[in-house]
Amino acid sequence: MKQICLLFFVSFLLINCKGEKQNTEQSEPGRPNIILILSDDMGYSDLGCYGGEVETPSLDALAANGLRFTQFYNGARCCPTRASLISGCYPHQVGIGHMTNTPNNFTEHDLGIPEYRGFLNRNAVTIGEVMKDAGYATLMTGKWHLGISDKSKWPLQRGFDKFYGIIPGASNFFKPTYPRGITYMNDTISVTDEDYYTTDAFTDYAIKFIDESAQEEPEKPFFLYLAYTAPHWPMNAPQNVVEKYKGKYMEGWTKLRETRFARMKEMGIIDENWELSDQDSREWDSLDDEKKKEMDVRRAIYSAMIDQMDQNIGKLVDYLKKEDELDNTLIIFLNDNGACAEGGELGGGPAEQLETKEGYFLTYGGAWANASNTPYREYKHWVHEGGIGTPFIVHYPNLIPKEKQGQLVSEYGFLPDLMATCIDVAQTNYPTEYNGNEIIPNAGKSLVPLFEGENKRIHTEPIFWEHEGNKAVRLGKYKLVSKWNNKRETEWELYDMETDRTEMNDLAQSMPDKVAEMDKMYSDWATQNNVLPWTEIRKMYREKRNKEKNEK
């Protein structure tokens, strides 16, 4: 009898100890959900919380309760940025040294050398693959743009459990059709809904995927990569939102730049002593009344695209609140490159397609892009600040100290930091080998110390850019930058980013030793990563096209 009682007592203790352990585990906060939101071709100062007049209350609220970085950098163009964001490496290292191949030519940007293949290679591990191995449900909606020729290059084969979006780089927003249509999981599907709009659909499927994952594997946190195509061309937006902005831009781009410049100084986004970069367009009053109305509409549609995106981000945030997941979700918002001047100074595409559901290459033009990038120089493609500076908003109440919420972060970071940051908060590791392939080391640093309120520089090493011969090096307060031209491969300019981030006062002549020092850094990096001169790449493209033409 005593033995039975003793056995019962021991069993009782074991059961209670086990229960206490389970309760302790349940009471500890789990690893956070992670959401990366990427917009497409938006200017630095378009959002309300960065000085713009576009109505963006959802992103403004995330910023007010989170952090805004004033010096975060992207990769100057759609697919190089995506390659770097998703791999944590420089784009050349992972096979996208220039652009990705297109739906009309699966080898268009494949030059037959590892750094210029036009698709993400297998020496890169994606953020989806890393998060999946860490026990996350991995979800993606929106624009892929990292490889198209076969399904081995698509999201589900690169670490994502679920995908809804477009595989190539752009589509019509109302009527996306093959070969620039919608892919669901691994299948191309047709869109028949007359009220369809890609921005709305990308958000709806993001919420659907989170819901499904919670039902299927409730123990897993989720990682969501939500890559909007707004406000990339074509200029397509719901008409009721366009109407909010029509007429608001009839004072022109000069007035818009001046107004934003003043507002950004008041907000502390830019230093009050910086100069406004030169206007890169004709005078507004040189246009006749009819052209002014057309340009007002082009800008109104562009703003409406951002507005509609923000409404959708608000819908996603409301869903997270309803599910009691917002505080334990790290949300990061950024843009893929500077505002887009493609289509010429006054925009591309027929004016009669504006305010319709038609159009593909339908743009708002360089004059408005210059205003979108206030106060910086240049645009998408180039690596002056207007091409690579991005808004960067972080919201994570469980990590960002209450007293720091709503503040600005002036330390700089760049795309590979996103991989390092996600690894940090997910409490996992970056692999040296994956599926039998040696993996290129992550080039980034975790941003978590900055989220937690530390005021310290995280990049003590130089960071680099190169796209189409445009090149730059950032180290501390100095930036060395060159805009490619067909007369000279490199013509370095040097700027002090603390006193002159608008790049108006070139120090190259007065500081030749600093130029030489940073030039060597760039040369060493380019050699190490086989970053070829743009003149050489252009020659290779010509030879490739001539060969293909002769073979037909």
Side-chain angles (χ1 to χ4, degrees), residues 214-269:
Q215 295 298 319
E216 295 162 1
E217 298 176 297
E219 76 283 359
K220 286 188 174 184
F222 68 83
F223 171 83
L224 169 66
Y225 174 33
L226 174 49
Y228 288 115
T229 49
H232 191 292
W233 47 260
M235 296 294 102
N236 292 152
Q239 191 59 34
N240 65 310
V241 188
V242 175
E243 293 296 332
K244 290 170 59 175
Y245 295 96
K246 283 175 66 176
K248 287 191 175 183
Y249 296 101
M250 287 299 290
E251 290 186 306
W253 35 74
T254 304
K255 180 68 173 178
L256 184 61
R257 294 181 81 234
E258 291 170 348
T259 302
R260 286 191 179 188
F261 188 54
R263 190 183 299 123
M264 293 171 83
K265 286 184 175 182
E266 291 173 6
M267 297 171 72
I269 299 291

Side-chain angles (χ1 to χ4, degrees), residues 111-127:
L111 295 177
I113 51 179
E115 295 77 15
Y116 297 86
R117 295 301 309 276
F119 59 85
L120 195 69
N121 67 34
R122 291 287 172 172
N123 293 114
V125 64
T126 73
I127 202 166

Side-chain angles (χ1 to χ4, degrees), residues 84-193:
S84 195
L85 178 152
I86 209 160
S87 70
C89 303
Y90 287 101
H92 307 78
Q93 294 177 305
V94 299
I96 305 179
H98 180 214
M99 294 289 285
T100 53
N101 299 315
T102 68
N104 298 318
N105 184 344
F106 287 167
T107 64
E108 183 172 351
H109 296 291
D110 188 348
L111 295 177
I113 51 179
E115 295 77 15
Y116 297 86
R117 295 301 309 276
F119 59 85
L120 195 69
N121 67 34
R122 291 287 172 172
N123 293 114
V125 64
T126 73
I127 202 166
E129 289 164 338
V130 172
M131 292 296 108
K132 188 172 187 174
D133 281 3
Y136 275 69
T138 52
L139 320 170
M140 181 183 172
T141 64
K143 172 173 165 177
W144 178 240
H145 210 197
L146 289 169
I148 192 171
S149 61
D150 61 81
K151 291 182 180 180
S152 70
K153 300 176 177 64
W154 293 12
L156 295 196
Q157 286 63 245
R158 294 311 309 258
F160 289 93
D161 297 323
K162 299 175 186 288
F163 173 72
Y164 178 95
I166 63 170
I167 298 296
S171 73
N172 183 282
F173 283 70
F174 294 109
K175 298 184 289 186
T177 55
Y178 183 83
R180 294 182 176 274
I182 297 296
T183 296
Y184 176 51
M185 301 301 276
N186 261 341
D187 298 313
T188 301
I189 62 173
S190 298
V191 172
T192 57
D193 182 358

